[in-house]
C-alpha cells in the first residue's frame, strides 16, 4: 500500500493542476484574445449600458412587444441566474392548465385573431432562457404588435424576416426568430 | 421522422464513422506506448521520476485495481473538501455558501464515478474554483479511469501467459495527457468561438427592455416561506428591471463534459442553456463529441488485439442498436402531446401548421426543435453522458422510455468512455458462452478460453447494476422520504424514481429532473448506486483481465466460432436486449407503458 500512496498522491496533484488550473486558464486566455465578445457573454450594449445578451432571452408581456417562449425559471421568468425547465410530465394536469392560461393571455391581447396558436408559444423552453421563437409564432403575433404600435403590419413582417435565420449550414436545428433583436428593432422605428 | 430528422441522423452517423478510425488508431498507439527514445518518453520519464512511478513495473490485476481505487478515492476526498470549504476559498465572486454534507458527498461520488448526476443547480450552488479545480478535474480523471480499465481488459485478451496487465500510473497519465487534454483544448476553443462563455467575472446585471412583474413567495420572520391554511405558499407581487446573467469558465468544462461522457452541466439547464450550447451547430458537434471516444475505443480495441474486424463488429452492434432507438425517440416526440391539442376551444393549439417545430415542445429549445433534441437524448443515454439539451421529464411517455431503456441496457451502446467498451466486451463474453453451450464447444473469445472464473466475473458485472436499480427503486417507492420527491402524479412519478436509479447505477447522470433529489435520502441512496454501479463492474473486469492475461493463446481452427461478422453482431445484440429486457420489463410496464396507454386513451 505504501508504495502505491506516493505515486497516487503526486500524480493526482499533478493532473489536478494541469487539468483544473492550467487548462481552464489557457482556454480563458486564448478565448479572451481571439473571441472577447463571445467569451464574456455576447452582451448587447446600448449607450454604454448592457441591455441583454445575444444568447439569452428576456421576458415580454406587453402587447407592443413580441413574446418569447414561456419560461419556468423561479421566482421570475427568464431568471438567467437560475436556469430551469418546467419538468411537467405530458399527463400532468398542471401542464394543460398552464397551456390554457397562456392561450387565454394570447387571445386576450389579440381578440380578433382566429388562428391556432403555435405550440412553441404556449410550452415552456428547456432552459427557461430560450432567445428564439418559431417563424410561425412570430407571424401569429405580427398583427397585434403592428396594431398596438400603430404601424404597418407589412413593416413588422419585414422586420421579422430580417431577424429570422434558417437552420445552421442548412441542416442543423430549426428556422427561428430572435425575439430580443426583433423587439429592439421595433423600438428603434421612429414614431 | 421527417426529412430533416433522417438527414440529421444520416449525417451524424457518417461523420462519426469518418472520425473513429483515425482516433482509434491514435488511442491504441498512445495506450500501447512501448519504451522509445522520443521526446514524449523523455518527458514522461521526468514526470514519472518526480511522482515516484516505476514505469517498467507490470502490475498484477489486484495491484492495478488498488491503484485505480486509491486514485479515485483521493478524487472523492478532494472534491468533497472543495465543496465544503468553498466560501473561504478564492474564485467565488458570488460568495456561494459551503455545500451541505449530503449534497457534497453525492456530488463527489457522482463526478468521480463519471456519472455526473446533479442534485444541485450549478449556477446557484458552485463557485468557479469548485467548478474548475473540483468538477473539471474529475471530468478528466473519471474518463481517464474508464480508458485505463478498458485498456487493461484489452491487454488481458492481447497478452498470453503474462503475469501483469500494465502500469496503472502510466496509463492514467497517458489517457489524461495525450488523449483527453488535447481533444478538450481544441473543442473548448471551438465552443468559445461560437458563444460559449469563458471568464471569471462576477454575474453580469443587464437592464431589460421591459420590467418583469412576477409573484415571489412571502417570507416569515424566520426566513421560511409562509403558507396559507391550505398549505399553498403565500406570494406577493414583485418587479425587477434587471436580469442577472450567470458567468464563469464554461467552455473549458463543457468540452470535457461531452468528450469524457461526463454530462454534468455548468448550469442547471445543462446543454439546453444558451451559454453552454448556443447554436444548432455547437449542438451537432457536442453530439459527435459524446460518441467520439467510445466509438474510437472500439477501433483501438481491434488494433490492439491485432484484428480490426473484432473492433468493427462491436461498433456495428452498438451502431445498429443506437440507430433503432434514436429513430424511435424522434418519432415519439414528433407525435406530440395529444392533450394539448384540445385545451380550450377547438383547434386552439396548432400541431401541424409549424411544420418543423410541431410535436412535443414542452421542455425543448426552439433552436433545436424536436429532431435535434430527441437525437441528443438518445445519444446522451446510449453513451453514459447524461448531458441534456431538453428536459427528459417532459418527453412523451415512450419518447422518455427510450433514454430510460438505453441506460438500462447497461450503458453498452457506445456507453461511457472506456466503460461502454468493457461493458460490451462483457456481453461479448456472455454471447460466446451462450453460443458455446448451444453448439457444445468450449467457449473462447479472441483465442482465450472462457472458463468458470471468467463467467463468475461476467455474472457479477452484468447483475450488479440491475440489482442496484431495482432494489433501489423498491426502497424509494416504499418509503415516505422517497415518495415525497416525486413531482408529477400517476405513473410518471414512478418513472421519475426508476429513471433516477437507472441513471445513477449505470453512471449516466441525466434525470427526470422534476424529482426533488437534493435530500439526504436521495443523496445517500443514489451515491450508493453510483459507487457500486461503477466499481462493482470495474473490479470484476480487472479480475477477469488478470486471469485472461495469464492464459495461453489457443489457435483458430475450423471449429472456432468467429466473433466478427453479421452473425456475431446479431448474437451480441440479441444477448444485450435479452438481458436488458428480462430485467426491466415489469418495471417499465408500471411506468412509461401505463402512462402511454392513459395518454392516448384520454385522447
Amino acid at each position: 500500500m505504501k508504495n502505491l500512496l506516493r505515486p497516487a498522491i503526486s500524480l493526482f496533484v499533478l493532473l489536478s493542476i494541469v487539468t483544473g488550473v492550467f487548462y481552464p486558464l489557457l482556454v480563458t486566455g486564448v478565448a479572451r484574445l481571439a473571441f472577447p465578445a463571445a467569451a464574456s457573454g455576447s452582451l448587447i450594449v446600448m449607450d454604454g449600458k448592457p441591455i441583454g445578451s445575444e444568447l439569452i432571452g428576456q421576458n415580454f408581456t406587453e402587447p407592443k412587444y413580441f413574446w418569447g417562449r414561456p419560461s419556468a425559471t423561479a421566482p421570475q421568468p427568464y431568471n438567467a441566474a437560475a436556469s430551469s425547465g418546467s419538468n411537467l410530465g405530458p399527463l400532468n394536469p398542471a401542464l394543460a392548465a398552464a397551456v390554457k392560461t397562456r392561450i387565454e393571455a394570447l387571445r386576450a391581447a389579440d381578440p380578433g385573431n382566429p388562428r391556432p396558436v403555435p405550440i412553441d408559444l404556449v410550452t415552456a423552453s428547456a432552459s427557461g432562457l430560450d432567445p428564439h421563437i418559431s417563424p410561425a409564432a412570430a407571424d401569429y403575433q405580427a398583427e397585434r404588435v403592428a396594431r398596438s404600435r400603430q404601424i404597418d403590419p407589412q413593416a413588422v413582417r419585414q422586420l421579422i424576416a430580417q431577424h429570422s435565420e434558417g437552420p445552421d449550414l442548412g441542416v442543423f436545428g430549426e428556422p427561428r426568430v430572435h425575439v430580443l433583436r426583433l423587439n429592439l428593432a421595433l423600438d428603434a422605428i421612429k414614431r | 421522422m421527417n426529412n430533416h430528422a433522417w438527414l440529421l441522423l444520416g449525417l451524424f452517423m457518417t461523420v462519426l464513422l469518418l472520425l473513429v478510425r483515425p482516433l482509434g488508431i491514435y488511442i491504441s498507439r498512445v495506450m500501447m506506448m512501448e519504451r522509445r527514445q522520443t521526446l514524449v518518453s523523455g518527458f514522461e520519464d521526468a514526470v514519472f521520476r518526480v511522482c515516484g512511478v516505476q514505469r517498467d513495473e507490470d502490475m498484477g490485476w489486484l495491484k492495478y485495481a488498488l491503484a485505480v481505487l486509491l486514485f479515485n478515492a483521493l478524487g472523492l476526498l478532494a472534491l468533497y473538501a472543495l465543496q465544503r470549504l468553498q466560501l473561504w476559498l478564492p474564485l467565488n465572486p458570488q460568495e456561494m455558501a459551503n455545500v451541505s454534507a449530503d449534497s457534497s458527498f453525492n456530488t463527489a461520488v457522482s463526478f468521480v464515478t463519471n456519472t455526473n448526476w446533479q442534485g444541485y443547480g450549478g449556477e446557484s450552488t458552485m463557485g468557479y474554483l469548485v467548478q474548475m479545480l473540483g468538477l473539471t478535474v474529475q471530468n478528466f480523471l473519471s474518463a481517464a479511469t474508464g480508458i485505463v480499465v478498458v485498456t487493461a481488459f484489452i491487454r488481458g485478451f492481447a497478452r498470453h501467459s503474462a503475469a501483469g496487465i500494465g502500469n496503472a500510473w502510466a496509463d492514467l497519465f497517458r489517457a489524461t495527457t495525450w488523449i483527453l487534454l488535447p481533444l478538450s483544448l481544441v473543442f473548448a476553443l471551438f465552443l468559445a468561438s461560437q458563444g460559449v462563455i469563458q471568464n471569471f467575472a462576477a454575474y453580469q446585471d443587464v437592464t431589460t427592455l421591459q420590467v418583469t412583474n412576477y409573484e415571489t413567495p412571502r417570507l416569515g420572520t424566520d426566513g421560511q416561506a409562509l403558507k396559507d391554511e391550505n398549505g399553498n405558499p403565500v406570494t406577493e407581487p414583485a418587479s425587477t428591471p434587471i436580469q442577472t446573467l450567470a458567468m464563469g469558465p464554461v467552455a473549458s468544462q463543457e468540452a470535457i463534459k461531452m468528450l469524457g461522457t461526463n454530462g454534468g452541466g455548468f448550469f442547471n439547464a445543462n446543454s439546453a442553456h444558451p451559454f453552454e450550447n448556443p447554436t444548432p451547430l455547437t449542438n451537432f458537434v457536442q453530439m459527435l463529441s459524446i460518441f467520439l471516444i467510445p466509438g474510437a475505443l472500439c477501433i483501438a480495441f481491434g488494433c490492439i488485439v491485432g484484428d480490426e474486424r473484432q473492433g468493427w463488429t462491436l461498433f456495428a452492434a452498438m451502431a445498429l442498436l443506437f440507430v433503432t432507438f434514436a429513430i424511435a425517440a424522434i418519432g415519439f416526440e414528433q407525435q406530440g402531446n395529444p392533450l394539448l391539442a384540445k385545451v380550450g376551444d377547438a383547434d386552439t393549439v396548432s400541431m401541424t401548421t409549424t411544420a418543423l417545430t410541431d410535436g412535443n415542445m414542452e421542455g425543448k429549445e426552439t433552436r433545436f426543435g424536436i429532431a435535434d433534441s430527441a437525437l441528443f437524448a438518445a445519444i446522451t443515454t446510449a453513451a453514459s453522458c447524461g448531458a441534456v439539451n431538453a428536459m427528459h421529464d417532459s418527453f412523451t411517455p415512450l419518447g422518455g422510455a427510450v433514454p430510460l431503456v438505453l441506460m438500462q441496457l447497461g450503458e453498452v451502446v457506445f456507453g461511457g468512455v472506456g466503460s461502454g467498451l468493457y461493458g460490451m466486451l462483457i456481453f461479448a463474453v456472455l454471447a460466446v458462452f451462450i453460443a458455446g453451450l448451444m453448439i457444445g464447444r468450449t467457449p473462447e473469445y479472441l483465442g482465450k478460453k472462457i472458463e468458470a472464473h471468467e463467467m463468475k466475473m461476467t455474472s457479477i458485472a452484468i447483475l450488479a447494476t440491475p440489482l442496484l436499480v431495482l432494489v433501489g427503486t423498491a426502497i424509494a417507492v416504499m418509503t415516505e422520504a422517497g415518495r415525497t420527491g416525486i413531482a408529477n402524479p400517476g405513473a410518471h412519478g414512478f418513472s421519475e424514481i426508476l429513471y433516477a436509479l437507472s441513471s445513477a447505477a449505470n453512471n449516466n447522470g441525466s434525470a427526470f429532473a422534476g424529482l426533488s433529489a437534493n435530500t439526504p435520502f436521495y443523496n445517500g441512496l443514489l451515491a450508493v448506486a453510483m459507487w457500486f454501479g461503477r466499481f462493482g463492474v470495474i473490479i470484476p473486469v480487472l479480475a477477469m483481465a488478470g486471469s485472461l492475461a495469464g492464459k495461453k493463446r489457443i489457435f483458430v481452427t475450423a471449429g472456432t466460432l468467429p466473433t466478427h461478422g453479421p452473425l456475431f453482431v446479431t448474437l451480441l445484440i440479441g444477448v444485450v436486449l435479452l438481458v436488458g429486457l428480462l430485467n426491466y420489463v415489469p418495471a417499465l410496464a408500471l411506468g412509461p407503458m401505463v402512462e402511454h396507454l392513459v395518454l392516448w386513451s384520454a385522447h
Side-chain angles (χ1 to χ4, degrees):
Chain A
M1 199 64 187
K2 194 162 160 273
N3 60 355
L4 285 176
L5 215 50
R6 184 181 158 209
I9 293 172
S10 33
L11 206 59
F12 178 73
V13 171
L14 175 84
L15 290 178
S16 292
I17 291 170
V18 171
T19 60
V21 181
F22 290 166
Y23 160 71
L25 288 183
L26 181 63
V27 175
T28 311
V30 176
R32 184 172 290 175
L33 285 176
F35 324 107
S40 50
S42 307
L43 298 178
I44 302 173
V45 179
M46 264 174 73
D47 309 325
K49 261 184 22 183
I51 56 125
S53 163
E54 190 74 46
L55 298 172
I56 305 289
Q58 292 184 6
N59 184 47
F60 292 103
T61 50
E62 293 174 18
K64 64 172 181 168
Y65 285 122
F66 280 90
W67 302 355
R69 298 286 303 279
S71 162
T73 60
Q76 75 271 31
Y78 285 92
N79 179 359
S83 57
S84 173
S86 74
N87 286 312
L88 295 177
L91 266 169
N92 195 327
L95 174 64
V99 169
K100 189 159 185 276
T101 311
R102 290 163 190 157
I103 292 174
E104 284 163 2
L106 283 162
R107 294 278 195 231
D110 192 9
N113 189 342
R115 290 194 285 165
V117 181
I119 189 82
D120 61 314
L121 215 45
V122 292
T123 47
S125 64
S127 63
L129 306 171
D130 195 338
H132 300 109
I133 52 177
S134 68
D139 195 62
Y140 177 86
Q141 303 181 67
E143 299 280 343
R144 181 197 78 217
V145 171
R147 202 176 325 119
S148 66
R149 288 179 180 261
Q150 294 170 348
I151 52 177
D152 180 14
Q154 214 43 48
V156 173
R157 291 217 158 80
Q158 259 172 20
L159 283 180
I160 293 179
Q162 278 170 25
H163 294 92
S164 298
E165 50 187 320
D168 288 14
L169 308 178
V171 261
F172 305 125
E174 303 289 348
R176 55 205 184 271
V177 180
H178 198 289
V179 180
L180 178 58
R181 278 285 180 203
L182 178 58
N183 285 332
L184 280 169
L186 283 168
D187 277 355
I189 297 176
K190 286 199 194 82
R191 260 158 291 171
Chain B
M1 290 270 288
N2 55 17
N3 289 342
H4 165 69
W6 284 115
L7 185 64
L8 183 71
L9 182 59
L11 209 58
F12 175 78
M13 291 310 293
T14 312
V15 179
L16 182 68
L17 263 175
L18 291 175
L19 291 176
V20 289
R21 189 163 186 271
L23 184 63
I25 293 172
Y26 173 74
I27 291 177
S28 72
R29 288 194 184 148
V30 168
M31 298 314 290
M32 291 299 116
M33 203 185 288
E34 304 302 331
R35 192 177 177 80
R36 273 175 297 159
Q37 287 304 320
T38 61
L39 198 63
V40 166
S41 63
F43 173 73
E44 283 192 348
D45 279 344
V47 170
F48 292 158
R49 209 173 307 122
V50 172
C51 295
V53 173
Q54 312 282 325
R55 70 166 288 165
D56 291 324
E57 183 192 2
D58 196 21
M59 296 179 180
W61 81 264
L62 194 58
K63 187 167 186 191
Y64 198 101
L66 278 174
V68 166
L69 271 176
L70 185 61
F71 190 75
N72 279 279
L74 286 175
L76 191 70
L77 279 177
L79 184 48
Y80 180 80
L82 278 171
Q83 293 177 80
R84 298 288 286 149
L85 304 173
Q86 69 166 345
L87 185 58
W88 304 306
L89 296 172
L91 279 178
N92 185 358
Q94 299 310 118
E95 300 185 344
M96 300 289 184
N98 294 331
V99 185
S100 73
D102 58 300
S103 177
S104 301
F105 175 66
N106 179 281
T107 304
V109 171
S110 171
F111 277 71
V112 166
T113 55
N114 200 256
T115 313
N116 308 59
W117 168 271
Q118 295 172 292
Y120 61 93
E123 69 268 52
S124 50
T125 312
M126 300 297 182
Y128 299 158
L129 189 78
V130 176
Q131 296 268 23
M132 55 188 258
L133 192 58
L135 303 179
T136 304
V137 166
Q138 281 312 317
N139 276 333
F140 275 100
L141 300 185
S142 63
T145 299
I147 297 180
V148 309
V149 170
V150 80
T151 303
F153 196 29
I154 298 171
R155 284 195 192 110
F157 290 107
R159 292 178 173 183
H160 54 97
S161 314
I165 53 172
N167 186 310
W169 307 127
D171 288 347
L172 280 166
F173 179 80
R174 286 172 184 157
T176 311
T177 316
W178 309 130
I179 299 172
L180 297 171
L181 206 52
L183 286 173
S184 300
L185 196 58
V186 173
F187 188 31
L189 291 174
F190 166 74
L191 289 173
S193 77
Q194 299 297 305
V196 178
I197 59 175
Q198 178 74 21
N199 60 58
F200 292 98
Y203 289 7
Q204 171 80 45
D205 281 349
V206 298
T207 313
T208 52
L209 249 59
Q210 188 202 306
V211 170
T212 298
N213 298 309
Y214 60 101
E215 295 285 320
T216 186
R218 180 178 293 172
L219 300 184
T221 44
D222 56 351
Q224 296 295 311
L226 290 177
K227 293 197 170 160
D228 63 15
E229 56 269 29
N230 297 329
N232 295 318
V234 183
T235 60
E236 55 193 358
S239 75
T240 174
I242 299 293
Q243 186 183 37
T244 302
L245 307 177
M247 291 283 136
V250 179
S252 52
Q253 185 166 331
E254 189 71 10
I256 185 62
K257 163 194 143 190
M258 312 309 287
L259 285 164
T261 61
N262 292 286
F266 197 97
F267 300 114
N268 187 44
N270 210 300
S271 275
H273 196 296
F275 278 162
E276 283 199 24
N277 194 3
T279 67
L281 179 65
T282 56
N283 188 60
F284 184 74
V285 183
Q286 290 200 358
M287 292 194 290
L288 272 177
S289 62
I290 296 176
F291 272 2
L292 184 64
I293 298 179
L297 278 169
C298 292
I299 311 311
F301 157 71
C303 293
I304 296 171
V305 298
D307 181 0
E308 230 183 277
R309 293 173 305 179
Q310 302 291 345
W312 284 111
T313 300
L314 300 187
F315 185 92
M318 292 176 176
L320 281 172
L321 278 166
F322 163 69
V323 168
T324 313
F325 279 101
I327 290 172
I330 297 172
F332 291 131
E333 287 308 289
Q334 282 180 336
Q335 279 187 344
N337 182 344
L339 293 187
L340 298 189
K342 54 171 197 177
V343 169
D345 49 301
D347 288 337
T348 24
V349 180
S350 146
M351 302 291 290
T352 49
T353 52
T354 59
L356 289 165
T357 38
D358 68 356
N360 180 24
M361 280 300 284
E362 179 70 25
K364 294 192 180 64
E365 297 281 290
T366 308
R367 61 192 181 283
F368 305 139
I370 302 294
D372 300 50
S373 300
L375 180 60
F376 194 109
I379 292 168
T380 197
T381 48
S384 76
C385 181
V388 293
N389 77 347
M391 295 300 131
H392 293 187
D393 212 351
S394 298
F395 273 31
T396 60
L398 295 185
V402 168
L404 186 56
V405 171
L406 279 167
M407 295 189 300
Q408 290 170 342
L409 292 181
E411 292 299 7
V412 295
V413 182
F414 293 99
V417 163
S419 59
L421 181 58
Y422 63 65
M424 196 51 135
L425 283 168
I426 288 283
F427 274 109
V429 167
L430 183 62
V432 294
F433 177 73
I434 291 172
L437 287 183
M438 287 194 291
I439 57 176
R441 287 188 61 91
T442 312
E444 54 189 78
Y445 187 51
L446 306 172
K448 292 297 171 75
K449 237 181 223 162
I450 305 300
E451 293 170 297
H453 180 256
E454 287 75 37
M455 287 322 296
K456 279 182 201 155
M457 295 302 124
T458 298
S459 308
I460 295 174
I462 283 183
L463 293 176
T465 51
L467 203 66
L468 290 165
V469 173
L470 295 173
V471 173
T473 304
I475 291 173
V477 294
M478 286 191 304
T479 50
E480 192 56 37
R483 287 192 301 268
T484 48
I486 293 175
N488 284 290
H492 197 88
F494 174 75
S495 300
E496 284 181 344
I497 293 179
L498 181 65
Y499 196 104
L501 268 301
S502 301
S503 172
N506 288 292
N507 299 135
N508 181 276
S510 66
F512 273 9
L515 186 74
S516 304
N518 199 358
T519 60
F521 173 79
Y522 276 113
N523 279 332
L525 179 72
L526 295 174
V528 169
M530 291 188 282
W531 187 262
F532 290 99
R534 176 78 163 173
F535 294 102
V537 179
I538 282 185
I539 291 171
V541 162
L542 288 175
M544 220 167 133
S547 79
L548 286 170
K551 286 176 193 272
K552 286 203 213 58
R553 178 173 296 148
I554 41 180
F555 289 95
V556 177
T557 64
T560 309
L561 175 77
T563 51
H564 57 83
L567 184 64
F568 190 71
V569 169
T570 314
L571 183 64
L572 188 54
I573 290 176
V575 170
V576 169
L577 287 178
L578 196 69
V579 172
L581 291 181
L582 279 182
N583 283 326
Y584 292 108
V585 158
L588 290 169
L590 293 175
M593 291 184 204
V594 166
E595 199 190 0
H596 175 77
L597 296 176
V598 174
L599 181 68
W600 287 91
S601 64
H603 171 57

